[in-house]
Amino acid sequence: MDNVITVRELRVRSRDKTLVGPVSFDVGQGSTTGLCGPSGAGKSTILRALVELLPNGLTRDGELQVLDRTIAPGKGDADLRAKIVLVPQVPVVFGGSILDNALFGLRHVLRASQGVLKERAEKALEEAGLWKEVADRLDSPAQNLSAGQRQRLCLARALALEPAGLLLDEPTSALDERSRDKVEQSIAALHGRRAVLLVSHDPSQVERLCDTTVNLDQPVAASPAAAVG
Amino acid sequence: MFNKKFRSAYLVTSVLTVLSLAGCADSDAGSNGALQVSGSTTVAPVAADAAQALKADGLDITVATQGGSAGGISQLAAGQINIAMSSKPLAKEDKAANPDTDFLSTQIGADAVGVIVTKKVADAGVKNLTADQVRDLFEGKIKNWSELGGPDLEVFVYDKEPGRGTREVLDKYIYGDEKAPPPPKSGNFAIVGGNLETRNKLESTPGAVAPLSTSFIEGRDKLAAVTLDGIEASPENIASGKYPMSRPLYLLTDGKPKGSAKKFIDYVLTDKGQKLMTKHGYLTLKEIGK
Amino acid sequence: MTTETLTRPPVAPDTGGRPRPSKWIWTWLYAGAFAVAALLLVVVGYLGAGIAGGHVDWMELLTESAWSPTNSVFGGLAMIYGTAVVCALALVIAVPVSWGAAVALSEYLPPRLARPLRMCVELLAAVPSIVYGLIGIMVLRPVISKIADVPGGDSLAAAGIVLAVMITPTIVAVSVDALTAVPDRVREAAYSLGLTRREVVRSAVLPPARSGMRAAVLLGLARALGEAIAVFLVVGRADGRLPTSFGEFLDSLSHPGQTLTTKLAGPEPVLAGTSGPYFAAICGLGLVLLALVAAATVWGTRGRDRGAASERPLKFRGTARLRQQRDRLVMTLRLGALLLPSLLLVGMLALLVTRGSSAFDPSFWFTSATGAAGGGVRDQIVGTVLLIATTGILALPLGFGAGILIGIHASERTARVLQTVTVILGGAPTILLGLAGFVILSTTMGWGRSWLAGAIVLVPVVVPVIALTTSARVRSIPAELTESAMSLGLTRAQYVRSVVVPYTWPATITGLLLGLARAAGETAPLLFTATVFFGAPMVPSGIVESPVQALPTHIFTLSQDSGDPQAVTQAWGSAMVLVLITAVLLSAAVALRNRFEGERWTT
């Protein structure tokens, strides 16, 4: 079985109106798939549809398969979200220290000793390319990190879950060039190890990072999707 | 998922119910044996001072003021307290409502209620009122003091809230055994509660009139009591029953007082106990010749 | 390279189950909501039983203005009118001032100044109602009397103003909470666009804080409707007055009137016995009052769905000229609005300090009372603290749970129903709580007068305040925060536990403080269920027949009928003690809150 995520004829609707789609694509094991399109095309909405985080009033239909499990619309739950982790565009930092943040998802999902948890969080920080910068201040407040560091912290706390797939929503859109390069390095390092679905409006970024590309061409005008994406 | 949530919430609710039922079952575990006195806020300070004095003798007494005189009487009838404090005589209705209770009233003093006006009105000539004049004032028919030979000043009536002993004394004086009519639809009519509030408002309202214990205007140079039908509220006149507006103060028991209840009532009747009446502004039994 | 990912220990809880599944969260939340509903049900049930015990002529109750029990006339229209006028007046005065002051506190003043001021405002909410009433008598009546050229000055207008003063602290405190919850990045972003402070506040800060600020007004309204003692002292309580023309309407403002609450809090519910037409009519009035609160709540929260679903488009009024001048004007107005409560606080403290100076004698605190008005108030202090602490412990989990449920509930309609129920409970006159508690706890369950009964009766006073402040804060949780947490694989229960609770609790503490401050000054329900004037031991030894003495009831009894000047001194001293105790409690909790609020979650 090669595909982590299989999507067929996926649509996002508001009542009877189709806002996004239909789209079909696969994200293979270890591969990085780019999801491209102009602003308002519904890229972010599709990511949210995959993990059942659509805003109220929107529904998905079409076929979605994660690993070998078929997820019927509305049946995606917390366990699905722990396997396919969405990293939103705005890097949200929770209260508490850097380590607390890195552990935020994991400690709700994995029953293990504090030592094991911490080890995994540290490994994830390393995988996200943040370890060197924060190794000496894991216990200091996460609020003090720069925007680029925050983005990588969000990546790390997703990676700590050891997800089968990662959904990255415009991970570099709010960053300066240097931070962007660092985040891109971290994403590139995932190649071959994780299934990644990367949403980006920047074709060159997609070209740099992705094996395959899905283009969402038809923009959907005046949709609530614009508000969420 | 939803069902589960409901089930657990239901569980908690039932646990709470069981707990409260358990509390119920526990209820006859015993009371702390204190003598319970409750009722009129007028008598409460006297009772509290008396209870304090008796504390030294090992008497455990609680004083409360829930529901005023009427509340005290109904609680006594229900057996919830040992002594009721009352600032009005027991009414026929009270006896009728509680046929099983053998109310026994012990008078401990009296309170002279005056019709109080402001000094300005009194000085201008309103020194005496007849029962009819008082009635017309409180019914809003007399609107200006000049109608009674006073200054050209609007009348402002403060009546006591229903259930206050003072109000009942006034109603009895004006209406005898008849029902009082509804309050007047005048803009210069308001209701007051305690004696301190009444005095405060009388002093700050020109042209005000209100029923109030006469002791509360002693030493107040802005207020004056009028004579009623020419009779002054002196202890002699109250003792002889000539002054029409006085109210006796009582301690009530169910049957003859026994044990600590008797000790308590006896103390209030001693000289020391009667001094407390003076302290809180009321007339002692001796003063009214009883 | 086939995937370490899959050979690793399974992350999904297929095998061992999740750590901290936090399923108990739902039990807790629903228990809270059920408790709120059950408490309201008890009050309504009490009223319903009263109504069933005698015939109520609803037409008469709702359309007739005269009320005269001795003549069997039971008309409530004049009271409904009085209630409407007094509450409308209070809101018209209090809302602009409070919102202005809240914005000034949160957006204009430096934190070093704002924090102590904010605490002072919360302290104002803790001043016992009777003190507000006495100040109304001393200050407001003469003013009304002079302006309207009427003798006395007991009037609907005076009552409205007193209520405005009383609900201002509540509205300010809850609004400030809503404003501080707006993340700083929003302000930063707006300032960096070159907006003036006024424009930043209007277009960036107020929109996300709006739901919280509306909840503040609802809370204020609930308090205004439920408040008795202060209104009692200045409204005149004259029955049957109803204007028939506009002139008479204006005239009625400066003359005595009656409200539903003052009627219910007066002696009549007790005089009316426990059945028969009189008592039924009183219970009918209670139901009318609850219905009014419900109507006001529904009306006040209407349109919130629309506002939340689609952001209201901002109005652009062309290029604003005189931006700087306007900015300065608005700043002056807002700081001015802050000045009012500050002056009030200073005046009130001055009054309390001069009249209640006996409170500064340590022996007043540490000796027990001798007789009616001698000695100290140690036992009353202990009793009050015991009551407040127990109430707080009982009310906090219930209010917190109910508030979160209102805030996060998926269905907007359920949330609204719950919210309405909560506000109604908050607006229920406390005398009704006292009477219901008396019937159920003291009589039926045989507790007699018991401190625990008193604490339980106070719970419905505190729970709505906690629930409403909490739910307003939950609503202000940024969507990104929720999404980030959910996308990390948290279940909804875990989300509530790890995100909602920590994010919300500073607001909950504010609610608890405001609620307890209000409970601390409550008299009416305690008189029936828990306190005696004299003779209770300092610490009760059990539950059944174990009364305590408490400061508010002590103040109330002393300020009634004693001719002993000592009684007045003792009453003011006790009021000062009550304020000081609440101040200490407040500062402790506020210090705690400030420490944690500094750790604001940002996005």
Side-chain angles (χ1 to χ4, degrees):
Chain A
M1 195 219 57
D2 277 329
N3 287 343
V4 173
I5 304 172
T6 312
V7 174
R8 293 288 173 270
E9 297 288 310
L10 180 130
R11 284 186 184 81
V12 177
R13 298 169 180 277
S14 165
R15 295 216 182 96
D16 299 331
K17 208 172 130 202
T18 300
L19 299 176
V20 185
V23 288
S24 304
F25 58 88
D26 304 315
V27 184
Q29 193 62 258
S31 78
T32 304
T33 305
L35 195 52
C36 279
S39 290
K43 306 184 293 286
S44 300
T45 308
I46 288 177
L47 289 195
R48 278 157 188 79
L50 297 183
V51 288
E52 303 281 4
L53 285 177
L54 286 171
N56 275 345
L58 299 192
T59 50
R60 129 179 113 78
D61 63 17
E63 195 183 315
L64 169 65
Q65 212 176 339
V66 173
L67 298 176
D68 48 0
R69 194 177 138 211
T70 304
I71 316 279
K75 296 293 177 205
D77 56 5
D79 294 343
L80 168 74
R81 287 190 284 271
K83 278 187 202 135
I84 307 283
V85 180
L86 169 73
V87 180
Q89 181 173 8
V90 181
V92 171
V93 167
F94 299 105
S97 67
I98 294 172
L99 186 64
D100 290 340
N101 266 277
L103 278 172
F104 192 88
L106 190 60
R107 69 188 162 89
H108 289 104
V109 176
L110 180 70
R111 191 189 291 275
S113 71
Q114 202 62 36
V116 172
L117 290 177
K118 195 175 171 202
E119 197 183 312
R120 279 211 12 201
E122 286 171 3
K123 200 159 176 289
L125 283 168
E126 200 167 347
E127 207 176 344
L130 193 60
W131 176 248
K132 277 181 203 144
E133 293 158 57
V134 300
D136 54 336
R137 50 192 179 111
L138 285 178
D139 290 325
S140 67
Q143 308 287 342
N144 302 341
L145 295 178
S146 72
Q149 287 172 322
R150 284 180 185 204
Q151 190 57 267
R152 278 175 288 150
L153 181 61
C154 292
L155 192 60
R157 88 188 159 201
L159 288 168
L161 292 167
E162 307 255 327
L166 274 175
L167 313 178
L168 307 180
D169 190 1
E170 306 261 13
T172 59
S173 62
L175 303 181
D176 61 60
E177 210 165 309
R178 249 189 80 205
S179 306
R180 192 196 69 195
D181 287 348
K182 285 203 164 165
V183 173
E184 282 192 3
Q185 276 168 28
S186 306
I187 296 172
L190 299 173
H191 192 256
R193 302 161 59 202
R194 308 255 179 225
V196 175
L197 181 59
L198 173 71
V199 161
S200 177
H201 63 271
D202 175 4
S204 67
Q205 182 177 50
V206 172
E207 199 158 301
R208 281 197 296 279
L209 295 171
C210 301
D211 314 318
T212 47
T213 308
V214 181
N215 272 306
L216 279 180
D217 291 331
Q218 57 284 54
V220 182
S223 73
V228 283
Chain B
M1 181 74 181
F2 199 65
N3 268 336
K4 246 187 216 164
K5 280 183 232 162
F6 255 110
R7 215 181 317 152
S8 37
Y10 181 75
L11 197 76
V12 165
T13 323
S14 27
V15 166
L16 284 176
T17 318
V18 169
L19 275 181
S20 43
L21 286 177
C24 256
D26 202 32
S27 65
D28 48 9
S31 64
N32 57 14
L35 179 74
Q36 297 190 30
V37 184
S38 182
S40 161
T41 53
T42 312
V43 189
V46 177
D49 277 345
Q52 174 70 32
L54 289 169
K55 218 178 188 178
D57 300 349
L59 242 63
D60 198 3
I61 303 166
T62 64
V63 179
T65 58
Q66 171 194 326
S69 300
I73 290 169
S74 68
Q75 282 181 76
L76 179 69
Q80 288 163 341
I81 57 172
N82 306 96
I83 298 178
M85 304 178 281
S86 174
S87 55
K88 58 173 193 182
L90 204 60
K92 270 178 268 158
E93 294 83 23
D94 293 324
K95 282 184 186 152
N98 306 294
D100 298 339
T101 314
D102 174 22
F103 288 111
L104 191 100
S105 317
T106 310
Q107 188 174 1
I108 56 168
D111 182 17
V113 178
V115 173
I116 310 297
V117 297
T118 54
K119 195 81 175 175
K120 199 177 160 196
V121 171
D123 287 349
V126 183
K127 295 207 160 64
N128 178 55
L129 293 172
T130 65
D132 288 346
Q133 285 171 330
V134 174
R135 189 189 62 215
D136 289 350
L137 275 172
F138 279 82
E139 284 182 3
K141 287 180 190 146
I142 297 177
K143 292 191 163 57
N144 197 300
W145 286 109
S146 57
E147 295 171 47
L148 295 172
D152 180 17
L153 197 62
E154 271 184 72
V155 174
F156 197 100
V157 176
Y158 287 110
D159 200 356
K160 287 266 193 165
E161 64 193 10
R164 290 271 174 184
T166 332
R167 155 104 172 229
E168 292 190 7
V169 171
L170 179 72
D171 281 354
K172 189 138 205 260
Y173 171 58
I174 311 179
Y175 302 111
D177 289 333
E178 279 167 43
K179 274 184 191 171
K185 293 204 171 193
S186 122
N188 286 352
F189 178 89
I191 301 279
V192 285
N195 285 341
L196 289 172
E197 184 196 345
T198 312
R199 180 171 74 191
N200 199 328
K201 290 193 171 172
L202 274 170
E203 283 179 339
S204 59
T205 312
V209 56
L212 178 64
S213 297
T214 49
S215 58
F216 274 78
I217 63 161
E218 270 162 33
R220 295 281 161 165
D221 48 11
K222 279 186 181 165
L223 300 177
V226 296
T227 55
L228 296 175
D229 301 315
I231 298 165
E232 190 195 349
S234 65
E236 302 82 53
N237 287 336
I238 291 166
S240 66
K242 266 172 139 181
Y243 183 75
M245 291 210 335
S246 75
R247 52 174 178 161
L249 304 177
Y250 293 108
L251 293 177
L252 280 82
T253 48
D254 183 5
K256 274 208 158 176
K258 287 184 290 250
S260 49
K262 184 167 165 39
K263 270 191 203 160
F264 178 73
I265 294 179
D266 285 348
Y267 177 82
V268 179
L269 296 176
T270 61
D271 284 352
K272 267 190 193 164
Q274 288 289 297
K275 271 192 191 136
L276 299 175
M277 301 303 294
T278 316
K279 176 182 169 193
H280 291 289
Y282 306 119
L283 296 168
T284 61
L285 288 174
K286 203 183 255 172
E287 281 175 298
I288 57 168
K290 286 199 177 166
Chain C
M1 195 90 213
T2 349
T3 82
E4 290 177 292
T5 323
L6 293 178
T7 53
R8 286 273 177 109
V11 165
D14 303 326
T15 49
R18 284 168 181 260
R20 312 169 215 231
S22 310
K23 287 274 170 55
W24 54 270
I25 288 273
W26 298 117
T27 318
W28 168 45
L29 300 193
Y30 278 93
F34 273 123
V36 171
L39 287 171
L40 184 64
L41 218 63
V42 167
V43 176
V44 172
Y46 174 75
L47 294 175
I51 289 169
H55 176 71
V56 178
D57 184 348
W58 287 100
M59 270 309 283
E60 186 192 22
L61 198 66
L62 293 175
T63 56
E64 167 68 44
S65 63
W67 173 274
S68 175
T70 45
N71 301 291
S72 299
V73 180
F74 302 107
L77 189 59
M79 295 171 226
I80 296 172
Y81 166 75
T83 302
V85 166
V86 166
C87 286
L89 200 60
L91 286 183
V92 163
I93 298 170
V95 169
V97 171
S98 314
W99 278 359
V103 171
L105 268 179
S106 125
E107 308 298 318
Y108 287 80
L109 292 184
R112 206 180 335 139
L113 214 57
R115 277 190 179 164
L117 260 177
R118 179 176 168 193
M119 204 192 98
C120 289
V121 169
E122 279 161 4
L123 192 59
L124 269 179
V127 174
S129 316
I130 194 161
V131 173
Y132 279 104
L134 293 174
I135 289 171
I137 290 187
M138 285 172 12
V139 182
L140 263 181
R141 285 174 69 249
V143 172
I144 299 277
S145 162
K146 199 154 205 182
I147 293 176
D149 192 26
V150 289
D154 290 294
S155 56
L156 292 177
I161 296 171
V162 163
L163 273 188
V165 168
M166 293 185 72
I167 64 176
T168 297
T170 309
I171 303 182
V172 172
V174 179
S175 299
V176 167
D177 254 354
L179 288 165
T180 39
V182 176
D184 278 334
R185 73 181 159 89
V186 172
R187 295 184 185 86
E188 261 169 46
Y191 276 122
S192 56
L193 293 173
L195 271 59
T196 63
R197 179 136 39 180
R198 180 185 73 92
E199 290 158 348
V200 169
V201 169
R202 195 174 71 105
S203 53
V205 180
L206 286 183
R210 200 170 280 144
S211 82
M213 293 175 77
R214 276 197 203 141
V217 173
L218 272 185
L219 269 177
L221 180 67
R223 170 148 201 198
L225 282 162
E227 175 56 46
I229 291 187
V231 178
F232 216 73
L233 292 176
V234 294
V235 79
R237 292 194 274 150
D239 284 317
R241 230 60 70 57
L242 199 67
T244 49
S245 67
F246 185 69
E248 280 183 38
F249 162 72
L250 286 182
D251 201 45
S252 77
L253 291 182
S254 61
H255 284 97
Q258 176 86 286
T259 71
L260 288 165
T261 318
T262 49
K263 174 57 83 184
L264 289 169
E268 292 190 39
V270 181
L271 293 176
T274 50
S275 63
Y278 188 9
F279 187 65
I282 292 268
C283 289
L285 287 182
L287 270 194
V288 170
L289 178 60
L290 294 187
L292 281 183
V293 186
T297 315
V298 170
W299 185 75
T301 50
R302 120 215 89 102
R304 182 173 296 168
D305 329 350
R306 268 176 286 144
S310 61
E311 281 293 311
R312 202 175 297 177
L314 281 173
K315 282 180 221 124
F316 292 98
R317 300 176 184 162
T319 43
R321 267 178 301 168
L322 302 174
R323 286 172 69 209
Q324 297 304 326
Q325 285 83 343
R326 251 197 254 177
D327 185 48
R328 237 168 281 149
L329 175 73
V330 170
M331 180 171 97
T332 319
L333 283 179
R334 282 177 177 151
L335 290 176
L338 186 58
L339 208 62
L340 278 174
S342 312
L343 280 180
L344 191 72
L345 183 73
V346 170
M348 202 165 292
L349 282 182
L351 183 78
L352 277 169
V353 166
T354 47
R355 302 294 286 270
S357 54
S358 55
F360 297 109
D361 179 1
S363 67
F364 190 70
W365 289 69
F366 298 116
T367 58
S368 61
T370 52
V377 289
R378 184 195 64 190
D379 298 354
Q380 282 81 359
I381 293 174
V382 174
T384 299
V385 171
L386 178 70
L387 284 174
I388 297 181
T390 315
T391 304
I393 291 169
L394 292 174
L396 181 61
L398 297 178
F400 203 2
I404 291 179
L405 195 66
I406 295 174
I408 66 160
H409 207 283
S411 144
E412 191 69 27
R413 186 182 297 169
T414 320
R416 272 183 72 177
V417 169
L418 257 176
Q419 180 172 8
T420 310
V421 166
T422 311
V423 180
I424 298 174
L425 187 63
T430 51
I431 182 83
L432 290 178
L433 303 174
L435 289 172
F438 176 68
V439 169
I440 296 165
L441 297 172
S442 302
T443 309
T444 311
M445 285 173 62
W447 283 8
R449 222 168 265 141
S450 157
W451 62 274
L452 187 60
I456 291 174
V457 167
L458 288 179
V459 164
V461 176
V462 183
V463 163
V465 188
I466 301 179
L468 290 177
T469 45
T470 302
S471 70
R473 182 61 159 260
V474 173
R475 282 211 196 88
S476 76
I477 294 179
E480 306 93 73
L481 193 59
T482 306
E483 192 180 75
S484 292
M486 296 304 285
S487 60
L488 286 168
L490 275 67
T491 61
R492 261 182 96 68
Q494 289 177 323
Y495 158 71
V496 170
R497 183 186 165 284
S498 297
V499 177
V500 178
V501 170
Y503 187 89
T504 311
W505 80 264
T508 308
I509 294 294
T510 307
L512 179 67
L513 290 177
L514 290 171
L516 286 184
R518 184 175 164 194
E522 270 304 335
T523 315
L526 293 182
L527 281 176
F528 285 88
T529 51
T531 59
V532 294
F533 175 56
F534 177 85
M538 183 169 79
V539 180
S541 51
I543 291 176
V544 175
E545 285 299 345
S546 304
V548 288
Q549 297 162 78
L551 288 167
T553 48
H554 194 62
I555 299 167
F556 177 76
T557 311
L558 286 176
S559 63
Q560 288 291 303
D561 274 353
S562 173
D564 184 1
Q566 179 79 34
V568 183
T569 320
Q570 180 107 355
W572 279 103
S574 305
M576 184 73 218
V577 168
L578 185 54
V579 171
L580 285 177
I581 291 178
T582 327
V584 170
L585 288 178
L586 272 180
S587 3
V590 166
L592 204 68
R593 183 185 63 195
N594 284 346
R595 246 190 75 191
F596 285 90
E597 209 168 59
E599 200 181 272
R600 206 181 281 167
W601 294 20
T602 52
T603 51

